[in-house]
Amino acid sequence: MPSPALITSTRMYDVAPAARVAWHAVLAEAHRRAGLDVAFIEHGWPTPIGDLWAQPGLCGAFMCGWPYAKALREGLAYTAVASVVPDWPSYDDQARYRSVFLVREDAPWTQLEDALGSRYGWMVRDSQSGWNAPRRRLAALADTRGAPLFSASTGPYGNPRGLLRGLRDSAFDVTAIDAWYVDLLRAHDPAALEGVRGIGYTDWTCNPLLVSGPGVDSSVSTRLADALFSLNGDAPGMALLRQAHVARFVPADPRAYDVLAADEDIARHPEIA
């Protein structure tokens, strides 16, 4: 049986048109250096992002770390291609990220604990940043303060943009969004963050990674990884990385994502969401 055509998507971090252009430029140059013919596909809301990860021929697409960890637990042969070190000081030169709890600008609260008893909005149930990490943080509060934590919990809002709209429209009062996504919005579309502010964070965890799907030859993934790492070492590559707000690509350790699947077992408080 012939191998499937290679495809990729930057859906997770196409926060704005300029971000999509920057990500595509980075990956297209890596494809060129690796000698690979990889097609970019459009894959957006309301199509579930899990449908993207199930596509045949997936090669170097962003995948959320929690679904990746669960897939490995289930024996699905996803290959870790590379991880990203975001180019902001708060990431401390590490391939990590966290979620930020957001409220409207005029809300009276200064920390997450102040917002307990209000209305919570959530994104989707297969997201590390929009579901698993916030529930892990909130579970700790439920253990010490009791439940329920919120007067209402509503969702799904589908993606970070949906959460931002719901928050500004007063559909709920507090939410949690991928802080890396927020940093990219601040760089590429700061108007999208008008009227909202942060009141706390989840813990840092290893960030979403670029993966190849089952059925893609491991040598293809290795060639792509080597090409991505090569961008770190020359002026043209570094220029492309800066446009995408990437410090560099680094190898991704599959074992580092095990903790995300373990968090799922800890953060099961039905009162939260």
Side-chain angles (χ1 to χ4, degrees):
M1 179 179 296
S3 299
L6 299 178
I7 61 169
T8 193
S9 171
T10 56
R11 167 180 171 168
M12 282 188 66
Y13 290 105
D14 284 351
V15 307
R20 182 182 300 110
V21 168
W23 285 120
H24 282 212
V26 166
L27 290 183
E29 175 60 12
H31 299 157
R32 186 191 68 79
R33 294 186 184 198
L36 298 174
D37 182 9
V38 184
F40 289 92
I41 63 169
E42 297 302 322
H43 198 282
W45 177 258
T47 305
I49 195 167
D51 289 0
L52 170 65
W53 302 327
Q55 292 283 329
L58 194 70
C59 182
F62 277 115
M63 186 174 188
C64 183
W66 181 33
Y68 170 74
K70 291 198 294 183
L72 294 188
R73 275 190 171 188
E74 295 164 5
L76 298 178
Y78 285 91
T79 300
V81 175
S83 192
V84 176
V85 176
D87 193 17
W88 285 284
S90 62
Y91 294 84
D92 196 27
D93 202 35
Q94 298 180 54
R96 65 180 191 174
Y97 83 141
R98 56 186 175 175
S99 302
V100 56
F101 288 96
L102 297 176
V103 298
R104 288 181 294 281
E105 190 68 50
D106 60 359
W109 312 305
T110 59
Q111 59 183 354
L112 177 60
E113 290 79 357
D114 299 336
L116 300 183
S118 67
R119 300 168 300 159
Y120 187 80
W122 50 273
M123 192 171 77
V124 290
R125 284 190 170 95
D126 61 353
S127 167
Q128 169 66 14
S129 61
W131 178 263
N132 197 39
R135 277 170 60 86
R136 181 68 177 88
R137 174 74 175 88
L138 294 169
L141 291 177
D143 287 341
T144 58
R145 293 174 177 254
L149 293 177
F150 299 99
S151 61
S153 179
T154 59
Y157 284 87
N159 56 30
R161 290 272 189 173
L163 285 174
L164 289 169
R165 285 192 297 270
L167 183 59
R168 281 194 298 266
D169 291 345
S170 297
F172 50 84
D173 305 305
V174 60
T175 190
I177 294 179
D178 179 338
W180 182 15
Y181 190 104
V182 170
D183 285 334
L184 287 165
L185 271 182
R186 193 173 290 115
H188 291 289
D189 185 13
L193 298 173
E194 290 178 358
V196 304
R197 59 181 173 85
I199 57 168
Y201 293 94
T202 65
D203 292 335
W204 291 103
T205 62
C206 44
N207 60 6
L209 67 166
L210 297 175
V211 304
S212 292
V216 173
D217 191 276
S218 61
S219 65
V220 169
S221 298
T222 298
R223 286 162 58 191
L224 179 57
D226 290 343
L228 289 166
F229 303 148
S230 78
L231 298 175
N232 306 335
D234 59 57
M238 290 297 293
L240 291 173
L241 296 183
R242 282 193 297 271
Q243 292 173 17
H245 298 278
V246 172
R248 67 187 190 282
F249 287 98
V250 296
D253 178 4
R255 295 168 299 179
Y257 292 83
D258 289 344
V259 66
L260 305 185
D263 278 351
E264 176 188 9
D265 300 329
I266 295 169
R268 287 180 176 172
H269 284 256
E271 311 88 359
I272 296 169

